[in-house]
Amino acid sequence: MSPAPIDAIDTDDVHAAAAGDRHAFERLYRLHIGRIYGAVHRLAGYDHARAEDLTQEAFVRAWQKLPGFRHESAFGTWLYRLAVNVALMDIRARGADPVRMVDDDHLPDLGEAPFCAAERDELQRAIGKLPPGARAVLVLHDIEGWRHEDIGHELGVAVGTSKAQLHRARLLLRNALGEPR
């Protein structure tokens, strides 16, 4: 999914907010909150309270860093990357390595949950129970549409590590959802 398109109103609001206009920043917040919260919510393992805190932190940091925004990319893209970084730093701060591999003997118990296309909540719960690193790569690749090169760069790992984590995450999901390996 691509970031919200930038238009003249967005550009004007970005410049105004960078100059300290709180109303312009509020308009930017309202325009981008849905996408930012969605990405952070998935990276936070569908923990609503944590996602709200991380989303708020991302917007506070955006307000603080906005005067330095160089307009080399769309504001939505810049904000999205900032929010993903906030969520990934939170994963690390909680003592989880975003790309740590988990041996089969140490896999979390994800339960015996049958899955069909209509059981979105069950899928979200299964994704939320993945180890943080596997969840981060799965969300960034399969849900947010990032390339392995971008994930590797963002997480500071090789492309092959990103691919291995994605493979591991998919296996864990299949297991959690009761599908054969």
Side-chain angles (χ1 to χ4, degrees):
M1 176 183 276
S2 60
I6 189 166
D7 57 17
I9 295 170
D10 200 30
T11 302
D12 291 345
D13 280 342
V14 169
H15 287 291
D21 184 337
R22 291 178 187 265
H23 295 292
F25 189 75
E26 183 178 340
R27 287 188 296 272
L28 292 169
Y29 171 85
R30 289 183 182 174
L31 179 64
H32 296 281
I33 185 64
R35 183 164 189 267
I36 298 305
Y37 175 80
V40 171
H41 189 235
R42 288 183 287 273
L43 286 168
Y46 297 95
D47 179 335
H48 178 69
R50 196 164 130 222
E52 281 185 339
D53 289 345
L54 292 172
T55 300
Q56 179 179 353
E57 184 177 339
F59 276 98
V60 167
R61 286 192 189 179
W63 173 255
Q64 293 168 341
K65 293 176 180 261
L66 196 52
F69 176 57
R70 296 186 305 245
H71 302 276
E72 294 173 357
S73 63
F75 173 76
T77 302
W78 176 80
L79 178 62
Y80 173 82
R81 292 298 274 233
L82 187 147
V84 167
N85 283 335
V86 166
L88 292 175
M89 287 188 312
D90 179 70
I91 290 171
R92 288 184 187 106
R94 292 174 180 274
D97 180 354
V99 293
R100 179 179 56 88
M101 297 298 286
V102 179
D103 295 332
D104 288 338
D105 295 340
H106 297 96
L107 293 177
D109 178 18
L110 299 176
E112 295 288 329
F115 177 77
C116 71
E119 294 179 317
R120 179 179 172 182
D121 289 343
E122 195 65 40
L123 177 60
Q124 288 180 346
R125 279 192 293 276
I127 292 171
K129 290 180 181 179
L130 289 172
R135 183 176 60 242
V137 173
L138 178 89
V139 167
L140 293 174
H141 186 273
D142 285 359
I143 298 173
E144 299 298 324
W146 288 30
R147 297 175 311 134
H148 285 291
E149 292 79 9
D150 297 330
I151 295 169
H153 175 74
E154 195 66 39
L155 298 177
V157 299
V159 170
T161 302
S162 174
K163 290 179 180 180
Q165 278 291 86
L166 179 61
H167 178 73
R168 170 66 79 186
R170 288 175 176 167
L171 285 175
L172 290 171
L173 276 182
R174 283 187 196 108
N175 185 42
L177 299 171
E179 294 181 14
R181 285 190 176 192

